[in-house]
Amino acid sequence: MSASVIDITRVRAVTLDLDDTLWPIWPTITRAEGVLLQWLGEHAPATATLYSDTAALRAIRNQMVSLRPDLRHDLSALRRESIRLALTQAGDDAALAEPAFDVFFSERQRVELFEDAHPALAFVSQRYPVVAVSNGNADVHRVGIGHYFKASISAQEFGVAKPDPRIFHAAASAMGVEPHEVLHVGDDATLDALAAITAGMQAVWLNPAQQAWPHDTPPHATVASLTELCRLLDDPAAPFPPASSQ
């Protein structure tokens, strides 16, 4: 695959993925599931016994994707309804799903940002309007980074998820620019980079693990960290190792 072909002169705005782009998501989810399980032990002991570990909680949440495909874009609703199903199966009060989810959701917002996230967000947001585009249910304001963003568009609020071009186009509209004037940054090769390219944007693939690029159409640039992203935006001629192709 060729080296960076990004055209910084076209960029008038930036969109950013959240989970696994600004912070690692699975440590956060695992901790939130642990807090949920502890809460169930106190308030719904039969459910806590039936679903005795975080793996079981995650399994029923994944099962809900099949049971309620209409909620596929809404991770909060999927989690809430999976808790409701677990309560029902265990014979506990299904109404406990609401406070149980609130406990989970509050802990889910306690993310640990990558070390370079705050400096990178400050750097980018001083130069461009920035909009978060996420399939997840993180709240940038509760996380504590809302001041860097002009807007935040989540799949659950917008009604469709990445890779649908409409969510990218909505982000461009929120910043008053055309899609080709937007640079999208994210860690997922398909849902972020390729999807943004399909939506008419330039794309930077955040690839710290140096994985092989899985598609025919390459991203406009590949970086290993948010610090490298800032260097790229500051000096697009700076060399970065390109992602290898399959």
Short mmCIF file of all heavy atoms in Angstrom, two decimals, residues 180-232:
data_model
loop_
_atom_site.label_atom_id
_atom_site.label_comp_id
_atom_site.label_asym_id
_atom_site.label_seq_id
_atom_site.Cartn_x
_atom_site.Cartn_y
_atom_site.Cartn_z
N HIS A 180 -16.34 16.15 1.75
CA HIS A 180 -14.97 16.08 1.25
C HIS A 180 -14.03 17.03 1.98
O HIS A 180 -12.80 16.96 1.81
CB HIS A 180 -14.94 16.37 -0.27
CG HIS A 180 -15.20 17.79 -0.63
ND1 HIS A 180 -16.47 18.28 -0.88
CD2 HIS A 180 -14.35 18.85 -0.77
CE1 HIS A 180 -16.39 19.57 -1.16
NE2 HIS A 180 -15.12 19.94 -1.11
N GLU A 181 -14.60 17.90 2.82
CA GLU A 181 -13.79 18.83 3.60
C GLU A 181 -13.51 18.30 5.01
O GLU A 181 -12.90 18.98 5.83
CB GLU A 181 -14.49 20.18 3.70
CG GLU A 181 -14.67 20.86 2.34
CD GLU A 181 -15.49 22.12 2.41
OE1 GLU A 181 -16.59 22.09 3.01
OE2 GLU A 181 -15.04 23.15 1.88
N VAL A 182 -13.96 17.07 5.29
CA VAL A 182 -13.83 16.48 6.62
C VAL A 182 -12.75 15.41 6.63
O VAL A 182 -12.63 14.62 5.69
CB VAL A 182 -15.17 15.88 7.08
CG1 VAL A 182 -15.02 15.21 8.45
CG2 VAL A 182 -16.26 16.95 7.13
N LEU A 183 -12.00 15.38 7.70
CA LEU A 183 -11.06 14.30 7.96
C LEU A 183 -11.59 13.49 9.14
O LEU A 183 -11.81 14.03 10.22
CB LEU A 183 -9.67 14.86 8.32
CG LEU A 183 -8.60 13.83 8.68
CD1 LEU A 183 -8.21 13.00 7.47
CD2 LEU A 183 -7.37 14.52 9.27
N HIS A 184 -11.82 12.19 8.91
CA HIS A 184 -12.29 11.33 10.00
C HIS A 184 -11.15 10.50 10.54
O HIS A 184 -10.33 9.96 9.78
CB HIS A 184 -13.41 10.40 9.51
CG HIS A 184 -13.93 9.48 10.59
ND1 HIS A 184 -14.69 9.93 11.63
CD2 HIS A 184 -13.75 8.15 10.80
CE1 HIS A 184 -14.99 8.93 12.43
NE2 HIS A 184 -14.42 7.83 11.96
N VAL A 185 -11.12 10.35 11.85
CA VAL A 185 -10.07 9.59 12.53
C VAL A 185 -10.72 8.52 13.39
O VAL A 185 -11.60 8.83 14.21
CB VAL A 185 -9.19 10.50 13.41
CG1 VAL A 185 -8.08 9.68 14.08
CG2 VAL A 185 -8.62 11.65 12.60
N GLY A 186 -10.29 7.27 13.22
CA GLY A 186 -10.83 6.20 14.05
C GLY A 186 -10.00 4.94 13.96
O GLY A 186 -9.16 4.80 13.07
N ASP A 187 -10.26 4.03 14.89
CA ASP A 187 -9.43 2.82 15.00
C ASP A 187 -9.96 1.65 14.18
O ASP A 187 -9.22 0.69 13.94
CB ASP A 187 -9.37 2.37 16.47
CG ASP A 187 -10.70 1.81 16.95
OD1 ASP A 187 -11.63 2.60 17.16
OD2 ASP A 187 -10.83 0.58 17.08
N ASP A 188 -11.21 1.68 13.78
CA ASP A 188 -11.80 0.53 13.09
C ASP A 188 -11.62 0.69 11.57
O ASP A 188 -12.11 1.65 10.99
CB ASP A 188 -13.28 0.40 13.44
CG ASP A 188 -13.87 -0.94 13.01
OD1 ASP A 188 -13.96 -1.19 11.78
OD2 ASP A 188 -14.23 -1.74 13.89
N ALA A 189 -10.94 -0.27 10.97
CA ALA A 189 -10.64 -0.17 9.53
C ALA A 189 -11.91 -0.09 8.70
O ALA A 189 -11.96 0.64 7.70
CB ALA A 189 -9.79 -1.36 9.10
N THR A 190 -12.95 -0.82 9.11
CA THR A 190 -14.18 -0.89 8.33
C THR A 190 -15.17 0.19 8.72
O THR A 190 -15.66 0.95 7.87
CB THR A 190 -14.82 -2.28 8.49
OG1 THR A 190 -13.90 -3.29 8.08
CG2 THR A 190 -16.09 -2.39 7.65
N LEU A 191 -15.49 0.27 10.02
CA LEU A 191 -16.53 1.18 10.49
C LEU A 191 -16.08 2.63 10.50
O LEU A 191 -16.92 3.53 10.43
CB LEU A 191 -16.98 0.78 11.90
CG LEU A 191 -17.57 -0.63 12.05
CD1 LEU A 191 -18.00 -0.87 13.49
CD2 LEU A 191 -18.73 -0.84 11.09
N ASP A 192 -14.78 2.86 10.61
CA ASP A 192 -14.27 4.22 10.62
C ASP A 192 -13.63 4.60 9.28
O ASP A 192 -14.17 5.40 8.53
CB ASP A 192 -13.24 4.40 11.75
CG ASP A 192 -13.90 4.47 13.11
OD1 ASP A 192 -14.82 5.28 13.28
OD2 ASP A 192 -13.49 3.72 14.01
N ALA A 193 -12.48 4.01 8.99
CA ALA A 193 -11.70 4.47 7.84
C ALA A 193 -12.41 4.24 6.51
O ALA A 193 -12.65 5.18 5.75
CB ALA A 193 -10.32 3.81 7.85
N LEU A 194 -12.74 2.98 6.22
CA LEU A 194 -13.39 2.70 4.93
C LEU A 194 -14.75 3.38 4.83
O LEU A 194 -15.11 3.91 3.78
CB LEU A 194 -13.53 1.19 4.73
CG LEU A 194 -14.10 0.77 3.37
CD1 LEU A 194 -13.16 1.19 2.24
CD2 LEU A 194 -14.34 -0.74 3.34
N ALA A 195 -15.49 3.37 5.93
CA ALA A 195 -16.81 4.00 5.91
C ALA A 195 -16.72 5.50 5.64
O ALA A 195 -17.53 6.06 4.89
CB ALA A 195 -17.52 3.75 7.24
N ALA A 196 -15.73 6.15 6.24
CA ALA A 196 -15.56 7.58 6.00
C ALA A 196 -15.19 7.85 4.55
O ALA A 196 -15.68 8.82 3.94
CB ALA A 196 -14.49 8.15 6.94
N ILE A 197 -14.32 7.02 4.00
CA ILE A 197 -13.95 7.17 2.58
C ILE A 197 -15.19 7.00 1.70
O ILE A 197 -15.42 7.78 0.77
CB ILE A 197 -12.87 6.14 2.21
CG1 ILE A 197 -11.57 6.46 2.94
CG2 ILE A 197 -12.63 6.14 0.70
CD1 ILE A 197 -10.55 5.34 2.87
N THR A 198 -16.01 6.00 2.00
CA THR A 198 -17.24 5.77 1.24
C THR A 198 -18.18 6.95 1.35
O THR A 198 -18.91 7.27 0.40
CB THR A 198 -17.93 4.50 1.76
OG1 THR A 198 -17.04 3.38 1.64
CG2 THR A 198 -19.20 4.20 0.97
N ALA A 199 -18.14 7.63 2.50
CA ALA A 199 -19.00 8.81 2.71
C ALA A 199 -18.43 10.06 2.06
O ALA A 199 -19.02 11.14 2.15
CB ALA A 199 -19.20 9.04 4.20
N GLY A 200 -17.27 9.94 1.41
CA GLY A 200 -16.68 11.07 0.69
C GLY A 200 -15.67 11.87 1.48
O GLY A 200 -15.27 12.95 1.05
N MET A 201 -15.25 11.34 2.63
CA MET A 201 -14.29 12.04 3.48
C MET A 201 -12.88 11.50 3.29
O MET A 201 -12.68 10.43 2.71
CB MET A 201 -14.69 11.87 4.95
CG MET A 201 -16.04 12.45 5.31
SD MET A 201 -16.45 12.13 7.05
CE MET A 201 -17.94 13.13 7.22
N GLN A 202 -11.91 12.22 3.80
CA GLN A 202 -10.58 11.67 3.98
C GLN A 202 -10.56 10.93 5.31
O GLN A 202 -11.30 11.28 6.24
CB GLN A 202 -9.51 12.76 3.96
CG GLN A 202 -9.37 13.44 2.61
CD GLN A 202 -8.13 14.33 2.57
OE1 GLN A 202 -7.03 13.87 2.28
NE2 GLN A 202 -8.32 15.61 2.85
N ALA A 203 -9.71 9.92 5.40
CA ALA A 203 -9.70 9.09 6.60
C ALA A 203 -8.29 8.81 7.07
O ALA A 203 -7.40 8.49 6.28
CB ALA A 203 -10.42 7.76 6.33
N VAL A 204 -8.11 8.93 8.38
CA VAL A 204 -6.87 8.50 9.03
C VAL A 204 -7.20 7.30 9.90
O VAL A 204 -8.10 7.37 10.75
CB VAL A 204 -6.25 9.61 9.89
CG1 VAL A 204 -5.08 9.06 10.70
CG2 VAL A 204 -5.78 10.77 9.02
N TRP A 205 -6.49 6.22 9.66
CA TRP A 205 -6.69 5.00 10.43
C TRP A 205 -5.73 4.99 11.61
O TRP A 205 -4.51 5.02 11.42
CB TRP A 205 -6.46 3.78 9.53
CG TRP A 205 -6.72 2.45 10.19
CD1 TRP A 205 -7.65 2.17 11.15
CD2 TRP A 205 -6.05 1.22 9.90
NE1 TRP A 205 -7.60 0.84 11.48
CE2 TRP A 205 -6.64 0.23 10.75
CE3 TRP A 205 -5.03 0.86 9.03
CZ2 TRP A 205 -6.21 -1.10 10.72
CZ3 TRP A 205 -4.61 -0.46 9.01
CH2 TRP A 205 -5.21 -1.43 9.84
N LEU A 206 -6.27 4.97 12.81
CA LEU A 206 -5.46 4.84 14.02
C LEU A 206 -5.20 3.35 14.24
O LEU A 206 -6.11 2.60 14.56
CB LEU A 206 -6.19 5.45 15.21
CG LEU A 206 -5.46 5.39 16.56
CD1 LEU A 206 -4.17 6.22 16.53
CD2 LEU A 206 -6.38 5.87 17.68
N ASN A 207 -3.95 2.96 14.08
CA ASN A 207 -3.60 1.54 14.05
C ASN A 207 -2.38 1.25 14.93
O ASN A 207 -1.30 0.95 14.44
CB ASN A 207 -3.33 1.13 12.59
CG ASN A 207 -2.99 -0.35 12.44
OD1 ASN A 207 -3.42 -1.17 13.24
ND2 ASN A 207 -2.22 -0.66 11.41
N PRO A 208 -2.55 1.34 16.26
CA PRO A 208 -1.39 1.15 17.15
C PRO A 208 -0.83 -0.26 17.11
O PRO A 208 0.36 -0.47 17.38
CB PRO A 208 -1.96 1.49 18.53
CG PRO A 208 -3.44 1.32 18.41
CD PRO A 208 -3.77 1.70 17.00
N ALA A 209 -1.66 -1.25 16.79
CA ALA A 209 -1.19 -2.64 16.75
C ALA A 209 -0.51 -2.99 15.44
O ALA A 209 -0.02 -4.11 15.27
CB ALA A 209 -2.37 -3.59 16.98
N GLN A 210 -0.48 -2.02 14.49
CA GLN A 210 0.15 -2.22 13.18
C GLN A 210 -0.42 -3.45 12.47
O GLN A 210 0.31 -4.28 11.94
CB GLN A 210 1.67 -2.31 13.33
CG GLN A 210 2.28 -1.04 13.90
CD GLN A 210 3.80 -1.04 13.90
OE1 GLN A 210 4.43 -1.93 13.34
NE2 GLN A 210 4.38 -0.03 14.53
N GLN A 211 -1.72 -3.53 12.47
CA GLN A 211 -2.41 -4.60 11.78
C GLN A 211 -2.38 -4.36 10.27
O GLN A 211 -2.18 -3.24 9.81
CB GLN A 211 -3.86 -4.70 12.26
CG GLN A 211 -4.01 -5.04 13.73
CD GLN A 211 -5.45 -4.99 14.19
OE1 GLN A 211 -6.26 -4.22 13.67
NE2 GLN A 211 -5.78 -5.81 15.17
N ALA A 212 -2.59 -5.43 9.52
CA ALA A 212 -2.67 -5.30 8.07
C ALA A 212 -3.99 -4.66 7.67
O ALA A 212 -5.03 -4.96 8.25
CB ALA A 212 -2.55 -6.68 7.43
N TRP A 213 -3.93 -3.75 6.73
CA TRP A 213 -5.14 -3.12 6.21
C TRP A 213 -5.96 -4.16 5.46
O TRP A 213 -5.45 -4.81 4.54
CB TRP A 213 -4.79 -1.95 5.31
CG TRP A 213 -5.96 -1.30 4.66
CD1 TRP A 213 -6.32 -1.38 3.34
CD2 TRP A 213 -6.95 -0.48 5.29
NE1 TRP A 213 -7.46 -0.66 3.12
CE2 TRP A 213 -7.87 -0.09 4.30
CE3 TRP A 213 -7.14 -0.04 6.60
CZ2 TRP A 213 -8.97 0.72 4.58
CZ3 TRP A 213 -8.23 0.77 6.88
CH2 TRP A 213 -9.13 1.15 5.87
N PRO A 214 -7.24 -4.36 5.80
CA PRO A 214 -8.00 -5.49 5.26
C PRO A 214 -8.79 -5.21 3.99
O PRO A 214 -9.48 -6.11 3.49
CB PRO A 214 -8.95 -5.83 6.40
CG PRO A 214 -9.23 -4.50 7.05
CD PRO A 214 -7.95 -3.71 6.92
N HIS A 215 -8.72 -3.99 3.44
CA HIS A 215 -9.56 -3.64 2.30
C HIS A 215 -8.71 -3.23 1.10
O HIS A 215 -7.52 -2.95 1.24
CB HIS A 215 -10.53 -2.52 2.67
CG HIS A 215 -11.39 -2.83 3.85
ND1 HIS A 215 -12.36 -3.80 3.83
CD2 HIS A 215 -11.41 -2.30 5.11
CE1 HIS A 215 -12.96 -3.86 5.00
NE2 HIS A 215 -12.40 -2.96 5.80
N ASP A 216 -9.35 -3.17 -0.06
CA ASP A 216 -8.64 -2.77 -1.28
C ASP A 216 -8.36 -1.27 -1.29
O ASP A 216 -7.28 -0.84 -1.69
CB ASP A 216 -9.45 -3.16 -2.52
CG ASP A 216 -9.53 -4.67 -2.72
OD1 ASP A 216 -8.61 -5.37 -2.26
OD2 ASP A 216 -10.52 -5.14 -3.31
N THR A 217 -9.34 -0.47 -0.89
CA THR A 217 -9.17 0.98 -0.88
C THR A 217 -8.45 1.40 0.39
O THR A 217 -8.96 1.16 1.49
CB THR A 217 -10.54 1.68 -0.94
OG1 THR A 217 -11.23 1.25 -2.12
CG2 THR A 217 -10.36 3.20 -0.98
N PRO A 218 -7.28 2.02 0.27
CA PRO A 218 -6.49 2.35 1.47
C PRO A 218 -6.98 3.63 2.13
O PRO A 218 -7.62 4.48 1.51
CB PRO A 218 -5.09 2.54 0.90
CG PRO A 218 -5.33 3.07 -0.48
CD PRO A 218 -6.56 2.38 -0.98
N PRO A 219 -6.66 3.81 3.42
CA PRO A 219 -6.94 5.10 4.07
C PRO A 219 -5.98 6.16 3.53
O PRO A 219 -4.96 5.84 2.93
CB PRO A 219 -6.66 4.81 5.55
CG PRO A 219 -5.63 3.71 5.51
CD PRO A 219 -5.97 2.87 4.31
N HIS A 220 -6.32 7.40 3.76
CA HIS A 220 -5.45 8.47 3.29
C HIS A 220 -4.17 8.56 4.09
O HIS A 220 -3.15 9.06 3.60
CB HIS A 220 -6.20 9.81 3.32
CG HIS A 220 -7.37 9.84 2.37
ND1 HIS A 220 -8.62 9.33 2.69
CD2 HIS A 220 -7.46 10.29 1.09
CE1 HIS A 220 -9.43 9.49 1.66
NE2 HIS A 220 -8.76 10.06 0.68
N ALA A 221 -4.22 8.08 5.32
CA ALA A 221 -3.03 8.01 6.17
C ALA A 221 -3.28 7.02 7.29
O ALA A 221 -4.42 6.77 7.67
CB ALA A 221 -2.68 9.39 6.74
N THR A 222 -2.20 6.47 7.81
CA THR A 222 -2.26 5.55 8.95
C THR A 222 -1.29 6.05 10.00
O THR A 222 -0.15 6.39 9.69
CB THR A 222 -1.88 4.12 8.52
OG1 THR A 222 -2.78 3.67 7.52
CG2 THR A 222 -1.92 3.16 9.71
N VAL A 223 -1.75 6.12 11.25
CA VAL A 223 -0.89 6.55 12.35
C VAL A 223 -0.99 5.54 13.48
O VAL A 223 -1.98 4.83 13.63
CB VAL A 223 -1.27 7.95 12.88
CG1 VAL A 223 -1.06 9.00 11.79
CG2 VAL A 223 -2.72 7.98 13.39
N ALA A 224 0.06 5.47 14.29
CA ALA A 224 0.10 4.52 15.39
C ALA A 224 -0.40 5.12 16.70
O ALA A 224 -0.61 4.39 17.67
CB ALA A 224 1.52 4.00 15.58
N SER A 225 -0.59 6.44 16.73
CA SER A 225 -1.01 7.10 17.97
C SER A 225 -1.65 8.44 17.65
O SER A 225 -1.52 8.97 16.53
CB SER A 225 0.20 7.31 18.89
OG SER A 225 1.08 8.27 18.31
N LEU A 226 -2.32 9.00 18.65
CA LEU A 226 -2.88 10.33 18.49
C LEU A 226 -1.78 11.38 18.38
O LEU A 226 -1.96 12.41 17.73
CB LEU A 226 -3.80 10.64 19.67
CG LEU A 226 -5.05 9.75 19.75
CD1 LEU A 226 -5.76 9.96 21.08
CD2 LEU A 226 -5.99 10.03 18.58
N THR A 227 -0.63 11.13 19.00
CA THR A 227 0.51 12.03 18.86
C THR A 227 0.96 12.08 17.41
O THR A 227 1.26 13.16 16.88
CB THR A 227 1.67 11.57 19.76
OG1 THR A 227 1.23 11.62 21.13
CG2 THR A 227 2.88 12.47 19.59
N GLU A 228 1.01 10.93 16.75
CA GLU A 228 1.37 10.90 15.33
C GLU A 228 0.34 11.62 14.48
O GLU A 228 0.68 12.26 13.48
CB GLU A 228 1.54 9.46 14.85
CG GLU A 228 2.86 8.83 15.22
CD GLU A 228 3.15 7.56 14.42
OE1 GLU A 228 2.37 7.25 13.49
OE2 GLU A 228 4.14 6.90 14.73
N LEU A 229 -0.93 11.53 14.88
CA LEU A 229 -1.98 12.27 14.16
C LEU A 229 -1.67 13.77 14.20
O LEU A 229 -1.76 14.45 13.17
CB LEU A 229 -3.33 12.00 14.79
CG LEU A 229 -4.48 12.90 14.29
CD1 LEU A 229 -4.80 12.59 12.84
CD2 LEU A 229 -5.71 12.74 15.18
N CYS A 230 -1.29 14.28 15.37
CA CYS A 230 -0.97 15.71 15.48
C CYS A 230 0.23 16.07 14.63
O CYS A 230 0.25 17.13 13.99
CB CYS A 230 -0.72 16.06 16.95
SG CYS A 230 -2.17 15.86 18.00
N ARG A 231 1.23 15.22 14.62
CA ARG A 231 2.39 15.47 13.77
C ARG A 231 2.00 15.49 12.30
O ARG A 231 2.49 16.31 11.52
CB ARG A 231 3.46 14.40 14.01
CG ARG A 231 4.24 14.58 15.31
CD ARG A 231 5.13 13.38 15.59
NE ARG A 231 5.89 12.98 14.43
CZ ARG A 231 6.35 11.74 14.22
NH1 ARG A 231 6.07 10.79 15.09
NH2 ARG A 231 7.06 11.46 13.15
N LEU A 232 1.10 14.60 11.93
CA LEU A 232 0.63 14.54 10.54
C LEU A 232 -0.10 15.83 10.16
O LEU A 232 0.14 16.40 9.08
CB LEU A 232 -0.29 13.34 10.36
CG LEU A 232 -0.93 13.17 8.98
CD1 LEU A 232 0.12 12.87 7.92
CD2 LEU A 232 -1.98 12.07 9.01
#
